Amino acid sequence: MINDKKVLYSGMQATGTLTLGNYLGALKNWVSISDEYECFYGVMDLHSLTIRQEPANFRKNARNLYALYVAAGLDPEKNCLYYQSHVSAHAELGWILDCFTYMGELNRMTQFKDKAAKHADNINAGLYTYPVLMAADILLYQADLVPVGVDQKQHLEICRDIAERFNNLYGEVFTIPEAYIPEAGAKIMSLQEPERKMSKSDENENATVRLLDDTDTVIRKFKRAVTDSGNEVRFSEDKPGVSNLMTIYGCVTGKTMEEIEKEFDGKGYGDFKLAVGECVADELRPLQERYYALLEDKTYIEKCIKENDEKAQYFANKTLRKVQKKVGLTERIR
Ligand code: ATP
Ligand code: LTN
């Protein structure tokens, strides 16, 4: 608890411009629950290094991600929005927790298997221990709740296992976090291959809708989205393309699948795709306006980064010192 509020922790990697999947599966929900919790949101730049990054582009992505958090509605004066790499406690606790994690556990991680297959020329140790650093992120802030998309569920489970193992050995050091996975939007699929999740590092630009795509681009991408045979707007397993578009439409408008089926009864895929494109473009427009205004105000963003880095360091170091003492590392002489 901080200020009598439960603690919420989440973050995203700075691996490219956010997609509609990141927004509907995570960011939009963060905004809607942020008032009820003491919130920490990291720009997960250390995690991003598990995939090779071009330095100048990486730095730009990390700054853009920070500005997108704010533009989406996270107030940096109420929420602690900070850079993971500015708080060295993450790497330090990550190392300690590596020593409390078994290779057998890490071998089961499906994200590692997916990323290793995708980047066969760079299967590095960081990619392998990625979930341990993520556990350190969460446990440093004694988080109660971690809102993520469904692809992160397994990482939350290993985080809980590591925390419980540690607590069994040393007493109640860590709060055991709960995952918060939204009912709708937890897995938005690619517009071109609806059996794969929409991913910000996808190289096929038509597969993803980016939060900074302009209206024409958004509508064009939806028009080109892969649909299924037939022409009926119906939510079902054998219609992955249409069902994905319905999920997106439902998340943005708040309509249920039955309402959407009714609304497009007797109309073809063309009308439906246009309606989805328009509602998404309308949702993104105000966010984009705030985003471009913010980028102009460098002094404001830098002030927020500095203050929040310090706040994050304060809470993270508190937990780190406790852990160091528990495992028997020699205390600092003051
Ligand atoms: P990358 O392509 O670099 O792996 P990503 O698009 O998968 O990136 P992450 O940074 O790994 O994005 O994830 C940020 C947050 O967005 C996480 O909470 C994740 O669960 C959520 N998320 C990512 N993709 C989707 C998606 N397609 N649908 C719903 N939520 C998603
Ligand atoms: N692995 C997460 C990003 C991430 C994260 C975290 C999310 C790193 N550390 C801690 C929640 C809590 C992802 O979305 N790919």
Side-chain angles (χ1 to χ4, degrees), residues 10-16 18-27 30 51 111 115 118 130 147-152 185-190 196-202:
S10 201
M12 295 196 194
Q13 301 185 76
T15 40
L18 296 191
T19 69
L20 195 58
N22 303 131
Y23 181 69
L24 298 177
L27 193 51
W30 297 359
I51 306 293
Q111 178 176 294
K115 296 260 159 161
K118 223 166 135 188
Y130 180 115
V148 281
V150 78
D151 60 321
Q152 297 301 312
K187 197 167 186 189
I188 300 296
M189 311 309 276
S190 153
R196 286 178 41 181
K197 82 161 190 157
M198 186 182 283
S199 168
K200 67 172 124 60
S201 54
D202 198 322

Side-chain angles (χ1 to χ4, degrees), residues 293-304:
L294 266 170
L295 285 193
E296 297 291 306
D297 198 350
K298 213 171 151 205
T299 326
Y300 175 69
I301 289 268
E302 288 185 348
K303 173 180 155 281
C304 296

Side-chain angles (χ1 to χ4, degrees), residues 233-236 243 246-247 249-250 253-265 272:
V233 177
R234 183 166 47 81
F235 192 83
S236 96
S243 299
M246 289 177 73
T247 303
Y249 192 64
T253 59
K255 292 179 185 167
T256 64
M257 294 304 121
E258 296 78 60
E259 286 168 339
I260 301 171
E261 285 174 0
K262 230 184 241 159
E263 183 177 348
F264 293 96
D265 189 22
F272 174 55

Side-chain angles (χ1 to χ4, degrees), residues 107-310:
N107 289 340
R108 290 198 292 271
M109 295 293 118
T110 56
Q111 178 176 294
F112 173 72
K113 290 178 201 164
D114 293 348
K115 296 260 159 161
K118 223 166 135 188
H119 304 276
D121 56 337
N122 181 21
I123 307 179
N124 59 71
L127 199 59
Y128 187 62
T129 58
Y130 180 115
V132 189
L133 180 60
M134 178 160 163
D137 302 335
I138 297 166
L139 301 177
L140 275 175
Y141 300 89
Q142 307 289 354
D144 297 281
L145 196 73
V146 183
V148 281
V150 78
D151 60 321
Q152 297 301 312
K153 192 166 168 239
Q154 202 183 28
H155 288 163
L156 251 292
E157 282 159 10
I158 194 174
C159 170
R160 289 166 57 95
D161 290 344
I162 297 169
E164 277 166 6
R165 180 172 309 138
F166 196 94
N167 283 357
N168 284 336
L169 287 165
Y170 300 105
E172 295 302 301
V173 178
F174 295 126
T175 302
I176 309 296
E178 296 280 344
Y180 170 73
I181 296 169
E183 268 170 44
K187 197 167 186 189
I188 300 296
M189 311 309 276
S190 153
L191 295 189
Q192 292 299 316
E193 294 166 89
E195 47 297 319
R196 286 178 41 181
K197 82 161 190 157
M198 186 182 283
S199 168
K200 67 172 124 60
S201 54
D202 198 322
E203 276 153 21
N204 180 355
E205 269 309 310
N206 285 323
T208 57
V209 173
R210 307 267 170 188
L211 296 193
L212 298 176
D213 282 346
D214 60 30
T215 297
D216 290 349
T217 309
V218 172
I219 291 179
R220 178 167 40 82
K221 286 182 176 176
F222 277 107
K223 275 192 184 156
R224 288 193 189 158
V226 170
T227 33
D228 315 280
S229 54
N231 54 7
E232 223 184 324
V233 177
R234 183 166 47 81
F235 192 83
S236 96
E237 246 170 58
D238 62 339
K239 285 176 164 281
V242 170
S243 299
N244 186 40
L245 297 183
M246 289 177 73
T247 303
I248 294 173
Y249 192 64
C251 281
V252 175
T253 59
K255 292 179 185 167
T256 64
M257 294 304 121
E258 296 78 60
E259 286 168 339
I260 301 171
E261 285 174 0
K262 230 184 241 159
E263 183 177 348
F264 293 96
D265 189 22
K267 296 185 186 151
Y269 287 159
D271 286 353
F272 174 55
K273 288 190 197 177
L274 184 64
V276 183
E278 280 174 347
C279 83
V280 170
D282 288 347
E283 171 94 2
L284 297 185
R285 221 171 287 118
L287 183 152
Q288 294 173 355
E289 280 165 17
R290 283 195 294 271
Y291 172 83
Y292 290 113
L294 266 170
L295 285 193
E296 297 291 306
D297 198 350
K298 213 171 151 205
T299 326
Y300 175 69
I301 289 268
E302 288 185 348
K303 173 180 155 281
C304 296
I305 293 175
K306 184 166 183 290
E307 287 175 6
N308 281 322
D309 279 354
E310 284 166 6

